[in-house]
Amino acid sequence: MKFKDMPYKRVQFEDVETKMNELMEEFKAAKSGEEQFEVHKKYYALTSEIDTLMTIAHIRYDIDTQDEFYSAENDYYDEIGPKIDSLNVNYMMLLYNSPYRDYLEGVIGKVAFKNMELRIKSFDEKLIPLMQEENALTTEYTKLIASAKIDWEGETLNLSLLGKYLNNSDREVRKKAHAKRSAWMAENGEALDRIYDSLVKNRDKQAKELGFKDYVELGYYRIGRNCYDREMVKNFRDQVKKYWVPFAEKLHDMRRERLGLDKLSAIDESVYFKNGNPEPTGTPEEIMKDGQQMYSELSPETKEFFDFMTENELFDVLGRKTKRAGGYMTYLPKYNSPFIFANFNGTSGDIDVITHECGHAFQGYISGKDPIREHAEITMETAEIHSMSMEFFTEPWMKLFFGDRTKDYVEMHIEDAVAFIPYGCTVDEFQHVVYENPEMTPAERKAAWVELEKEYKPHLDYGDDSFMANGGFWQKQSHIYQVPFYYIDYCLAQTCAFQYKVWMDEDYKAAWASYLKLCELSASDFFVNMLPAVGLKTPFESGCVADIVEKLSKKMF
């Protein structure tokens, strides 16, 4: 079904509560594991309907944050979402403590039961008011960012549409664009500080209410960290500081020379060539058509997937002034349909949508065929392997999008991916510092960010941009506000994607077979088990980061 034709009606909490209570009674009355699993199939059907309707409302609100109807629906789900979570957790407790647990675990899998354990540990009905407040605060942040109106030579731009000027080949243009963005953020600095301060204190209170020392452990549970902890993450970050940061700094210096600069400034951070970054040669319509050709040629599985997405109009990628910033892939379970949301702005980032977000969507399409719905509930570090690796697997088709500048794009893409890992670790360590010290003031948080930037990105210089120089950059990173601790996932996944990059350059067919197997495994096993099963090293493994740096260095220097 085309997205525009998918019917929508508000999910009435009272109806959900009645149906869930009936299901739970039926589950308790079942006399065997087989009977309980038949009830569980009804739970799949009910939650698929609920999740699909809520997701439709969420997407349509993001498409136009000024739409009064869907804005009201979004606010409504901020309110009832935690109540529905409560019902789901009550059902999960029955499943988790079932007298027929062995049978159910054999059908659904050990990972699903570990995830249930995390959900149960991270929720209590007494938290509902705090969770509703948290939802309202993240929505306030989303609306604030989406509301940005920046005057650009008589045209009004939002932050997404300003993007192409931030990376313009003319240094004066991008200096002006960076100044405009910083000025808007400074003007709204009080609101940005207040929202985040309220979120930190809210989340810390939720953690303390559940008996946790701080929000870090609760945050890990909520994001589904089911096989690694903060110490393992710290070990990975330490490897990045020791091996990756010097590697990235060497590439930054090569970029400085290529740009003909004596010193890199923050305004040069995303610029790779003197004549500007390569940009797509086609219109949005041509990009989508070329994307269809690319996936048709890559494999039978990707052809089927992209044809399905195109035929059912499961993309909304054009940038508009009232559209939410950023991009994502989400899933509509009732229709077995991924959906891709993005903001094309004429930069190479438009092609990243066709590669990165389609990597997510392809895996969603594959896992949607699995009758065990829990297998689709992948954790984020696994999900990002699908997307970041697809960026590399599609390199042979980049000529369709970049023409004569294909070589420049491929070079820029790998350098940009290398440069990202130190930044991603900055975001992650910053969040650990913040939630381990929830009483920090906004000024102290910004000072902590400045110190971390010095460790992970020593070349960085903000010049006379006082807002960014004083530690404001992180406030444009929506993940920090909206999904705590969802960021190291990108770094862990990128190290895996680099392993695929090295592998595909040696044996593309074998690397693709491994990737396809990873997509099919979905969440049927734990992250740390799946990687060795498909021939990859886990990023936590000592020597993994150093090994990737050594192999990439041979390619790039």
Side-chain angles (χ1 to χ4, degrees):
M1 184 180 289
K2 292 181 179 179
F3 178 71
K4 68 181 180 183
D5 297 329
M6 291 179 185
Y8 172 75
K9 63 179 180 179
R10 176 178 281 195
V11 174
Q12 298 296 338
F13 176 72
E14 294 76 13
D15 293 344
V16 174
E17 187 174 36
T18 299
K19 289 174 182 175
M20 283 291 287
N21 285 334
E22 288 172 354
L23 264 183
M24 286 189 270
E25 289 305 314
E26 189 178 352
F27 188 89
K28 285 188 279 189
K31 303 298 184 189
S32 67
E34 288 87 349
E35 283 185 26
Q36 285 192 334
F37 185 65
E38 289 305 310
V39 178
H40 193 54
K41 288 179 183 176
K42 296 180 183 179
Y43 173 78
Y44 286 161
L46 175 60
T47 53
S48 289
E49 177 75 19
I50 295 165
D51 292 349
T52 297
L53 290 171
M54 291 175 69
T55 302
I56 289 171
H58 172 73
I59 295 168
R60 289 179 180 164
Y61 166 69
D62 286 349
I63 285 171
D64 182 2
T65 59
Q66 301 299 308
D67 183 296
E68 290 185 9
F69 176 79
Y70 283 108
S71 181
E73 296 304 282
N74 188 72
D75 291 344
Y76 170 73
Y77 291 126
D78 280 352
E79 189 73 21
I80 72 154
K83 295 180 182 179
I84 292 176
D85 284 345
S86 178
L87 292 171
N88 283 322
V89 169
N90 289 340
Y91 175 82
M92 283 178 192
M93 287 175 73
L94 291 178
L95 194 63
Y96 188 77
N97 295 307
S98 166
Y100 312 111
R101 163 85 176 259
D102 286 348
Y103 174 83
L104 293 169
E105 198 171 283
V107 177
I108 300 169
K110 291 182 182 297
V111 177
F113 277 85
K114 181 63 179 179
N115 290 341
M116 287 177 215
E117 179 188 329
L118 299 186
R119 284 286 299 278
I120 292 165
K121 285 181 175 179
S122 63
F123 184 84
D124 191 291
E125 286 187 3
K126 66 185 177 183
L127 298 183
I128 288 175
L130 284 169
M131 294 172 75
Q132 290 170 331
E133 179 191 358
E134 181 185 11
N135 286 343
L137 287 164
T138 57
T139 293
E140 185 182 357
Y141 172 79
T142 297
K143 286 182 175 179
L144 177 62
I145 295 297
S147 73
K149 291 180 173 60
I150 296 168
D151 177 61
W152 188 268
E153 297 177 359
E155 184 183 3
T156 302
L157 304 177
N158 62 16
L159 292 175
S160 292
L161 295 174
L162 184 67
K164 65 179 179 180
Y165 300 108
L166 293 169
N167 301 332
N168 194 278
S169 59
D170 186 326
R171 206 159 186 255
E172 288 305 311
V173 170
R174 60 181 186 264
K175 183 177 182 180
K176 178 182 171 183
H178 278 262
K180 292 261 187 185
R181 182 178 67 180
S182 292
W184 184 87
M185 292 183 72
E187 285 165 18
N188 292 275
E190 190 176 324
L192 290 167
D193 285 341
R194 173 186 54 77
I195 294 168
Y196 192 61
D197 193 62
S198 299
L199 281 167
V200 170
K201 288 179 169 55
N202 173 295
R203 289 163 178 158
D204 182 66
K205 190 173 181 182
Q206 290 187 51
K208 300 284 171 57
E209 289 276 346
L210 291 177
F212 293 110
K213 175 188 170 186
D214 55 40
Y215 183 74
V216 178
E217 190 173 2
L218 176 57
Y220 271 44
Y221 282 179
R222 287 209 172 145
I223 206 164
R225 301 261 158 88
N226 55 25
C227 60
Y228 59 94
D229 58 24
R230 71 174 93 183
E231 288 306 313
M232 293 168 74
V233 171
K234 181 181 182 300
N235 179 52
F236 171 74
R237 292 198 311 261
D238 288 345
Q239 289 185 68
V240 169
K241 286 177 186 176
K242 185 173 181 181
Y243 301 106
W244 202 277
V245 169
F247 173 48
E249 288 298 302
K250 194 171 178 181
L251 287 177
H252 282 303
D253 201 52
M254 280 173 51
R255 184 167 60 85
R256 177 192 62 75
E257 291 180 0
R258 193 189 304 137
L259 292 172
L261 300 172
D262 294 327
K263 185 177 177 59
L264 283 176
S265 164
I267 67 168
D268 311 309
E269 196 66 359
S270 300
V271 180
Y272 288 83
F273 298 95
K274 224 172 183 178
N275 59 335
N277 292 347
E279 295 179 350
T281 56
T283 64
E285 293 74 20
E286 288 168 335
I287 288 171
M288 299 305 293
K289 186 179 177 184
D290 289 339
Q292 190 159 19
Q293 178 185 336
M294 175 175 74
Y295 284 114
S296 293
E297 295 173 0
L298 199 163
S299 77
E301 295 86 357
T302 53
K303 174 179 170 33
E304 178 188 314
F305 148 73
F306 202 86
D307 287 350
F308 174 84
M309 295 286 289
T310 303
E311 287 162 13
N312 291 289
E313 298 176 5
L314 296 165
F315 295 94
D316 190 293
V317 298
L318 297 179
R320 292 184 295 275
K321 291 177 183 177
T322 58
K323 193 175 181 181
R324 173 183 166 164
Y328 58 77
M329 185 285 288
T330 189
Y331 192 76
L332 299 150
K334 182 179 178 180
Y335 303 107
N336 295 325
S337 297
F339 185 92
I340 289 177
F341 173 95
N343 282 272
F344 276 13
N345 60 10
T347 70
S348 62
D350 298 351
I351 309 309
D352 296 338
V353 171
I354 302 300
T355 58
H356 182 102
E357 298 302 344
C358 279
H360 284 308
F362 175 64
Q363 187 280 329
Y365 182 75
I366 294 287
S367 64
K369 297 177 180 182
D370 191 324
I372 306 301
R373 268 197 68 190
E374 287 84 359
H375 290 175
E377 295 171 2
I378 51 175
T379 44
M380 291 300 101
E381 74 291 307
T382 304
E384 297 303 341
I385 300 175
H386 307 138
S387 57
M388 290 174 158
S389 300
M390 186 64 87
E391 294 177 29
F392 289 130
F393 279 112
T394 52
E395 271 184 6
W397 288 269
M398 287 302 104
K399 192 166 182 61
L400 291 171
F401 306 103
F402 294 101
D404 293 342
R405 296 206 65 191
T406 299
K407 184 175 178 295
D408 286 349
Y409 171 76
V410 171
E411 191 173 324
M412 176 183 75
H413 175 236
I414 195 166
E415 286 187 28
D416 188 58
V418 169
F420 171 78
I421 288 180
Y423 171 70
C425 287
T426 308
V427 171
D428 183 68
E429 188 165 344
F430 174 71
Q431 294 186 88
H432 282 79
V433 170
V434 165
Y435 288 107
E436 287 170 3
N437 302 278
E439 297 307 317
M440 291 173 86
T441 65
E444 287 171 334
R445 290 186 195 114
K446 289 177 180 174
W449 178 265
V450 170
E451 290 307 306
L452 288 169
E453 281 187 325
K454 288 176 184 174
E455 277 192 86
Y456 286 105
K457 302 183 74 175
H459 71 280
L460 195 57
D461 177 14
Y462 287 110
D464 58 3
D465 186 336
S466 59
F467 179 80
M468 296 299 185
N470 289 323
F473 187 88
W474 62 271
Q475 293 188 306
K476 66 172 276 299
Q477 193 63 63
S478 63
H479 305 69
I480 293 176
Y481 283 79
Q482 295 169 334
V483 197
F485 298 108
Y486 177 15
Y487 219 70
I488 198 66
D489 312 76
Y490 291 117
C491 303
L492 296 171
Q494 190 69 74
T495 60
C496 296
F498 275 126
Q499 291 181 66
Y500 273 132
K501 169 61 180 165
V502 171
W503 192 355
M504 72 182 71
D505 286 349
E506 295 168 354
D507 188 340
Y508 188 96
K509 189 176 179 181
W512 176 256
S514 166
Y515 174 82
L516 195 56
K517 182 180 177 182
L518 185 69
C519 290
E520 290 166 347
L521 283 171
S522 296
S524 60
D525 203 346
F526 295 102
F527 173 71
V528 294
N529 294 338
M530 284 193 295
L531 297 185
V534 299
L536 300 176
K537 290 183 179 179
T538 62
F540 308 115
E541 198 177 311
S542 291
C544 176
V545 173
D547 182 57
I548 297 169
V549 166
E550 182 184 356
K551 287 175 178 174
L552 289 176
S553 295
K554 288 177 181 176
K555 284 178 172 292
M556 302 176 76
F557 302 133

